[in-house]
Amino acid sequence: MPDVELYGHPESGHACKVALALGLAGLAHRVHRVDIWAVPATRPAAFLAANPAAEVPVLILDGAAHVQSGAILLEIAGRFACLGGESAEGMRRARELVIWEANRIGMCLPQLKEAQRPGGEVFAPDVLDWLRMRFAADARRFDLLLGDTTFLHGDRPGVGDCAVWGYAQWLDAAGVMPTPSMAGWLGRMRGLDAMRSPEAFFPTR
């Protein structure tokens, strides 16, 4: 069995993506909660050594550090032949979904969520309007990508579903509404055996 460690925080959708993927893949792993609100230099030394940028998530696989949530998801799928990585076609789909999420819905939702957070960053009204418009366009594209399938990867969830889930789980906190198709997908994601709350993925020790 591989030796797997995950550094993250429950308020990081990027870290939640990876935690969910590890659970769906059935990969046993150790979790280290990193305080993302603390001064970066005060974060654990092993974490800083693995990623000098002091950003979560960081996944340690057999001693090698992996950073950036999308790259980590693709590493999991490819290395362990799971969650879309079982075939060349599945990996193509995984790459397309992970890169789409990072460039589109994974850009606007974190900003909208941050704007709603008490003490969060203040955005100009026209910027917020643009972000909401962007989400509406991205939600329509999500519906197209999902089509009439159960998950973005078909009958079973894959790393693309994990990627979108990262921040789509907080639509209420972002102040936006899902389409009916997205709402159905969100319900199915919440019903997965491997699903946990962010706090359960990264508990306080």
Side-chain angles (χ1 to χ4, degrees):
M1 291 292 292
D3 185 56
V4 185
E5 296 180 77
L6 175 62
Y7 290 87
H9 188 277
E11 293 184 57
S12 166
H14 298 297
C16 289
K17 300 173 190 181
V18 177
L20 176 58
L22 291 173
L24 289 171
L27 291 170
H29 59 284
R30 299 184 299 284
V31 170
H32 306 283
R33 179 165 167 155
V34 176
D35 185 357
I36 61 174
W37 307 116
V39 176
T42 66
R43 296 171 191 175
F47 168 71
L48 293 174
N51 184 8
E55 297 174 344
V56 296
V58 172
L59 187 70
I60 309 295
L61 282 175
D62 292 330
H66 299 261
V67 300
Q68 297 298 320
S69 61
I72 294 171
L73 292 177
L74 293 173
E75 179 71 20
I76 292 170
R79 179 180 297 207
F80 300 105
C82 64
L83 304 176
E86 301 89 342
S87 67
E89 180 181 359
M91 278 302 297
R92 175 189 55 77
R93 176 70 167 171
R95 287 190 295 269
E96 291 172 352
L97 289 168
V98 166
I99 293 172
W100 172 78
E101 183 276 337
N103 194 41
R104 299 292 305 194
I105 203 167
M107 184 282 295
C108 59
L109 282 178
Q111 308 308 321
L112 288 168
K113 179 177 181 291
E114 172 65 11
Q116 298 288 327
R117 182 176 65 85
E121 187 172 349
V122 177
F123 294 88
D126 58 337
V127 173
L128 289 173
D129 288 343
W130 183 85
L131 288 168
R132 295 186 189 104
M133 179 184 68
R134 179 73 175 257
F135 170 74
D138 293 344
R140 291 192 295 271
R141 177 61 63 86
F142 173 90
D143 288 355
L144 181 64
L145 290 167
L146 184 66
D148 59 1
T149 59
T150 305
F151 298 102
L152 290 167
H153 284 262
D155 294 337
R156 295 181 296 172
V159 292
D161 296 277
C162 296
V164 176
W165 172 261
Y167 281 97
Q169 65 177 314
W170 289 312
L171 291 186
D172 288 347
V176 292
M177 296 290 292
T179 64
S181 181
M182 184 181 287
W185 173 83
L186 287 166
R188 293 188 291 275
M189 291 294 289
R190 292 189 181 100
L192 294 171
D193 290 342
M195 183 59 74
R196 303 287 184 272
S197 69
E199 284 289 339
F201 276 136
F202 299 100
T204 302
R205 299 299 182 187

